[in-house]
Amino acid sequence: MAIQSFNENFSRNTWQQIIYRQDNTDWTYFDGEVEVPDWCRTMELRFLVEGEGSAWLDEVGNGEEVAEGRPVTAEEEMRANPPGKGKPWEPAWCIYNWRSAWFDRHKAFKERSSRGGIDVIAYGDSITEGWGDGAGRLVKKIKPSATAVNYGIGGDSTRQLLWRIAGGETDGAAPSLIILAIGTNNLYDDVNGGGNEEIVRGVGAVAEE
């Protein structure tokens, strides 16, 4: 679920993700808070569904306005201010405002790790995320009793993965194996970009962490 905001003549727009759900879920209540840009004149609610099955919305409404003067949290500050350009070995949070649920997924991974009982962690970007629980099924062929989790997030570079690890995402977990696939998104010429040797160093930094 996302909000797409447009300016007056539709020459400018931005995506802000409200909620993200993966794998099979039954009816799920959710709410989300987004702050639209000051140039926004029109908003559209976007609902993207991928894969097999059915999905729809029901009882959609807008909530109460946020009280003025509420202190801004560190997370809200990060969501509103993407990090500047850095090297692939320098941690940074998610840079894309349409992926605002990135922080929520980070929190969910932290909560799962805190419960322990994890033998294998699959870590990385969309390539890893796309495996779903496939990594777990593969591991179970080798060790039937193993419990595997998938901590891949599409769009992540070495910088986001370093930030997530430093943010306690594996605290409480004691895996005997970590499957890592990261670095592809450092190839783009954006704030996460880098040359070949720099990306190798970034991947090495993730491995060290």
Side-chain angles (χ1 to χ4, degrees):
M1 288 298 311
I3 291 287
Q4 188 171 18
S5 303
F6 297 90
N7 65 353
E8 197 168 78
N9 61 5
F10 292 90
S11 63
R12 183 180 183 184
N13 71 89
T14 184
W15 285 81
Q16 296 167 279
Q17 185 164 306
I18 304 172
I19 197 75
Y20 176 91
R21 288 288 184 267
Q22 187 176 12
D23 303 322
N24 295 329
T25 58
D26 204 337
W27 277 107
T28 303
Y29 171 81
F30 68 86
D31 59 18
E33 180 181 316
V34 295
E35 182 176 348
V36 299
D38 55 8
W39 47 259
C40 174
R41 295 297 177 269
T42 302
M43 290 186 300
E44 293 185 359
L45 189 64
R46 298 290 186 176
F47 187 34
L48 175 64
V49 183
E50 295 179 325
E52 299 179 356
S54 300
W56 60 92
L57 300 176
D58 198 4
E59 298 184 6
V60 179
N62 64 320
E64 298 178 356
E65 294 184 1
V66 178
E68 293 185 5
R70 179 178 59 83
V72 176
T73 66
E75 180 181 313
E76 289 172 332
E77 187 72 21
M78 284 187 288
R79 288 178 189 253
N81 297 286
K85 186 173 179 60
K87 298 297 185 180
W89 56 87
E90 297 174 344
W93 58 93
C94 174
I95 65 171
Y96 305 109
N97 58 7
W98 60 268
R99 290 174 57 220
S100 58
W102 184 88
F103 287 96
D104 299 325
R105 298 186 68 191
H106 167 63
K107 291 177 183 177
F109 295 155
K110 287 179 62 175
E111 193 280 328
R112 174 62 187 91
S113 289
S114 70
R115 290 186 274 120
I118 297 174
D119 301 302
V120 180
I121 295 178
Y123 238 144
D125 48 35
S126 61
I127 297 173
T128 306
E129 182 181 358
W131 296 339
D133 63 355
R137 292 197 302 270
L138 176 61
V139 170
K140 284 185 180 297
K141 291 183 179 181
I142 303 170
K143 185 180 178 182
S145 61
T147 298
V149 295
N150 189 329
Y151 287 176
I153 298 183
D156 271 11
S157 74
T158 54
R159 300 188 72 200
Q160 283 73 61
L161 199 47
L162 285 166
W163 192 96
R164 291 202 275 140
I165 295 171
E169 208 165 85
T170 61
D171 291 357
S176 58
L177 174 67
I178 291 181
I179 303 170
L180 178 66
I182 196 68
T184 300
N185 293 310
N186 293 96
L187 294 170
Y188 296 103
D189 186 22
D190 59 16
V191 300
N192 296 321
N196 292 345
E197 293 183 358
E198 292 178 318
I199 296 173
V200 169
R201 180 175 170 183
V203 174
V206 173
E208 289 177 9
E209 287 296 316

